[in-house]
Amino acid sequence: GAVVSQHPSWVICKSGTSVKIECRSLDFQATTMFWYRQFPKQSLMLMATSNEGSKATYEQGVEKDKFLINHASLTLSTLTVTSAHPEDSSFYICSARPLAGGDNEQFFGPGTRLTVL
Amino acid sequence: QKEVEQDPGPLSVPEGAIVSLNCTYSNSAFQYFMWYRQYSRKGPELLMYTYSSGNKEDGRFTAQVDKSSKYISLFIRDSQPSDSATYLCAMNSGGYQKVTFGTGTKLQVIP
């Protein structure tokens, strides 16, 4: 149980285009989903927290107009990187907090590797 | 100064060795401490979860928290090649608070 999937697992796009990444909780409902990015040899950096049916809360320094987050249901959140640039190339990981679970419980997806040419 | 410091390694040990992984932190409000294992190009998976100071054991893994020193450790006994991964410490002040991660220590267990 407690499986989180991400799609796609990797994507290559041209500079200036937009890319959408999906995060799904497959066997549980998630009140909250988190989006992280991870650069090589660096820590996971929280980008934003999204709650189903409400606007996402972005961390300081993360552009909300560039990284659009939609949490349309209790099992799906999407991250859209708009007008992508090479510096947006990174490993994007989502996690989901179960509706019925401990306060600190979160399950991570396998990540999406984005390369912007 | 980072809130959480973790030696990135890499750490190479022979199979069967005892591995010690550590993190230090500066925020005295942190009360919940986690260790995650992350294989290459995969998302992290939770290994251990502890609250406040003390030890917790789960199979070959033991987590220790010393809040007075702001120091946490993960010990792996009888290490196996399959333990080769990056280990991230993580912590927060509890409840629905933001989790802060260390940079991760890359471990290689050599057969």
Side-chain angles (χ1 to χ4, degrees), chain A residues 15-19 66 81-85 88:
Chain A
S15 187
T17 60
S18 294
V19 174
K66 180 169 182 61
V81 183
T82 62
S83 186
H85 287 98
D88 298 324

Side-chain angles (χ1 to χ4, degrees), chain A residues 3-99:
Chain A
V3 178
V4 176
S5 71
Q6 279 185 243
H7 178 81
S9 55
W10 60 270
V11 57
I12 301 172
C13 69
K14 291 182 179 179
S15 187
T17 60
S18 294
V19 174
K20 180 186 282 188
I21 302 170
E22 290 187 351
C23 177
R24 291 181 186 272
S25 54
L26 297 185
D27 50 3
F28 66 97
Q29 292 183 318
T31 50
T32 305
M33 288 185 171
F34 305 90
W35 286 97
Y36 296 84
R37 63 189 298 183
Q38 187 178 33
F39 292 107
K41 298 186 180 182
Q42 293 191 28
S43 176
L44 275 78
M45 298 301 296
L46 180 65
M47 298 174 66
T49 302
S50 75
N51 293 294
E52 185 264 339
S54 62
K55 289 185 178 180
T57 302
Y58 290 81
E59 294 297 304
Q60 192 173 9
V62 178
E63 298 175 60
K64 61 179 69 175
D65 294 330
K66 180 169 182 61
F67 298 99
L68 302 178
I69 292 172
N70 184 286
H71 194 157
S73 75
L74 286 173
T75 59
L76 174 64
S77 177
T78 61
L79 168 69
T80 301
V81 183
T82 62
S83 186
H85 287 98
E87 57 265 29
D88 298 324
S89 299
S90 187
F91 194 49
Y92 291 86
I93 306 175
C94 72
S95 71
R97 175 180 285 148
L99 184 63

Side-chain angles (χ1 to χ4, degrees), chain A residues 106 108, chain B residues 34-38 44-46 86-88 90 101:
Chain A
Q106 56 177 310
F108 285 84
Chain B
M34 288 76 77
W35 284 95
Y36 288 86
R37 178 174 61 196
Q38 185 177 21
E45 57 176 323
L46 182 65
T86 295
Y87 291 80
L88 301 116
F101 287 84

Side-chain angles (χ1 to χ4, degrees), chain B residues 10-14 106-110:
Chain B
L11 178 63
S12 291
V13 301
K106 186 171 183 179
L107 171 67
Q108 185 177 16
V109 181
I110 302 167

Side-chain angles (χ1 to χ4, degrees), chain B:
Chain B
Q1 182 191 7
K2 292 181 183 177
E3 272 195 300
V4 178
E5 298 275 1
Q6 186 176 9
D7 187 337
L11 178 63
S12 291
V13 301
E15 183 176 354
I18 296 174
V19 176
S20 173
L21 303 166
N22 312 293
C23 287
T24 58
Y25 62 95
S26 58
N27 189 341
S28 58
F30 287 149
Q31 294 193 77
Y32 294 85
F33 304 91
M34 288 76 77
W35 284 95
Y36 288 86
R37 178 174 61 196
Q38 185 177 21
Y39 292 110
S40 182
R41 298 178 183 271
K42 301 290 185 183
E45 57 176 323
L46 182 65
L47 276 179
M48 300 286 284
Y49 175 81
T50 54
Y51 169 70
S52 195
S53 286
N55 295 358
K56 185 174 184 179
E57 188 174 321
D58 184 0
R60 295 185 296 112
F61 298 90
T62 300
Q64 283 186 354
V65 175
D66 181 349
K67 288 188 69 181
S68 62
S69 302
K70 298 190 179 66
Y71 188 88
I72 70 170
S73 301
L74 177 70
F75 297 96
I76 306 174
R77 290 185 299 280
D78 187 25
S79 56
Q80 303 295 310
S82 58
D83 295 328
S84 299
T86 295
Y87 291 80
L88 301 116
C89 63
M91 52 198 78
N92 71 354
S93 56
Y96 291 88
Q97 301 303 310
K98 171 184 166 183
V99 176
T100 301
F101 287 84
T103 53
T105 299
K106 186 171 183 179
L107 171 67
Q108 185 177 16
V109 181
I110 302 167

